Amino acid sequence: MVSRLPAPARLVAIGDVHGDIAATRAVLRLAGAIDEQDRWIGKDLVVVQTGDQLDRGDGERQILDLLERLQAEARAAGGALHVLNGNHELMNTAGDLRYVTAGGFLDFAEVPGVDLADPRAASAPPPMRGRLLAFAPGGPYARKLATRPVILVVGDSVFAHGGVLPAHARRGLDAINAEVQSWLRGEGEISPDLLQGDDSPVWTRRYCESPGPADCAVADETLGVLGVKRMVVGHTVHKDGIVKNCDGKVWCIDVGMASYYGGHPEVLEIKGDSVAPLR
């Protein structure tokens, strides 16, 4: 997994979609990525989705399958679709299914490669077992998640679901991504500080919940270690639209577009040094 990629001519970032397939389609169209038939028309466009496709809505499997297909179509056209893992993807793999809807359990009740007699699911109610095992470490959908990064640099921007702290930058993006991916494949453990807690790259809200000068100084330090100009993150909902913090060094792009939150589709467009929301 390469954690650092060159800047494209046009880069678009998309926040949390939480099981809402209609919002996912709408925001990809807003980005200029797909047509009305859900086919890639973005040519050499690069899109980064910052995690949390799962939970709170019934369209998760459709979303995962759509994004997987579009990744291949984008590559063939000379573009790219990079999908990050957020806290809800890692929660599902850790067996935390608190935010799964009834439809979300039904959708994964039967998944090829899942043995419902697997003892790891013995204590779970039968309707939950398929979902639990599909996303358990080494399960078919966990292995799909294992192809994705947690933190990604594209050009002058670093992307993560929650945020990147100086300790993450010094630990190394390749090392963090490799550790999480190994755990998702069922080949190793994950550090507790990556999986959960206020200092996890998929959980921290430091930069998007009314950050003060001290928080912006931490962002500055992170950007300096990574050698980039800005950070783009999801996770913290701002239903009024994308928020720019720390003099434009941090962009908070979770606009609560999923029906659960009642927000609206919005994306962040980056072209060279020009950074602007589109809605």
Side-chain angles (χ1 to χ4, degrees):
M1 168 64 67
V2 177
S3 302
R4 193 177 286 262
L5 300 167
R10 181 170 181 257
L11 174 62
V12 172
I14 294 173
D16 308 32
V17 293
H18 278 301
D20 189 332
I21 184 64
T24 303
R25 289 180 171 124
V27 78
L28 286 165
R29 287 177 191 134
L30 174 62
I34 64 171
D35 63 15
E36 292 300 315
Q37 284 72 49
D38 297 344
R39 295 293 171 182
W40 182 266
I41 55 167
K43 299 179 181 175
D44 61 353
L45 167 68
V46 173
V47 174
V48 178
Q49 197 281 331
T50 56
D52 278 11
Q53 304 94 46
L54 297 183
D55 291 341
R56 304 196 191 280
D58 293 346
E60 304 155 294
R61 195 164 178 177
Q62 285 178 279
I63 291 169
L64 295 178
D65 293 349
L66 173 65
L67 295 178
E68 186 176 29
R69 173 171 63 77
L70 289 175
Q71 284 184 306
E73 292 182 14
R75 271 195 305 272
L81 169 58
H82 302 291
V83 183
L84 306 190
N85 284 320
N87 62 307
H88 282 265
E89 281 74 49
L90 301 191
M91 287 164 71
N92 272 259
T93 297
D96 183 346
L97 307 181
R98 282 176 291 165
Y99 301 102
V100 180
T101 63
F105 284 116
L106 196 59
D107 240 7
F108 292 89
E110 294 183 10
V111 173
V114 167
D115 175 9
L116 294 175
D118 188 317
R120 289 181 297 173
S123 62
M128 297 174 63
R129 289 176 187 170
R131 170 81 178 221
L132 186 69
L133 294 167
F135 285 99
Y141 273 85
R143 296 186 76 83
K144 290 177 186 284
L145 300 181
T147 64
R148 310 163 165 192
V150 167
I151 306 172
L152 179 68
V153 172
V154 183
D156 289 328
S157 305
V158 59
F159 299 86
H161 181 65
V164 187
L165 302 174
H168 303 142
R170 295 194 176 94
R171 187 171 181 169
L173 307 191
D174 287 344
I176 289 172
N177 288 333
E179 180 177 329
V180 176
Q181 289 166 345
S182 175
W183 172 66
L184 288 164
R185 290 193 301 268
E187 297 168 359
E189 297 303 315
I190 186 171
S191 302
D193 62 305
L194 293 179
L195 182 61
Q196 57 199 1
D198 292 342
D199 290 337
S200 162
V202 299
W203 276 102
T204 186
R205 300 187 193 272
R206 179 156 200 172
Y207 305 126
C208 292
E209 280 190 341
S210 305
D215 302 303
C216 290
V218 171
D220 258 343
E221 183 184 348
T222 303
L223 297 177
V225 175
L226 292 174
V228 297
K229 294 179 178 176
R230 70 191 66 85
M231 189 182 308
V232 182
V233 300
H235 187 49
T236 301
V237 178
H238 296 281
K239 286 199 283 187
D240 291 335
I242 288 172
V243 171
K244 175 173 72 170
N245 287 335
C246 304
D247 298 322
K249 290 178 178 172
V250 177
W251 292 82
C252 306
I253 66 166
D254 180 2
V255 294
M257 73 180 89
S259 60
Y260 178 88
Y261 292 104
H264 61 273
E266 190 168 334
V267 302
L268 187 69
E269 180 182 64
I270 303 171
K271 297 166 77 172
D273 285 329
S274 169
V275 185
L278 304 177
R279 60 190 293 180

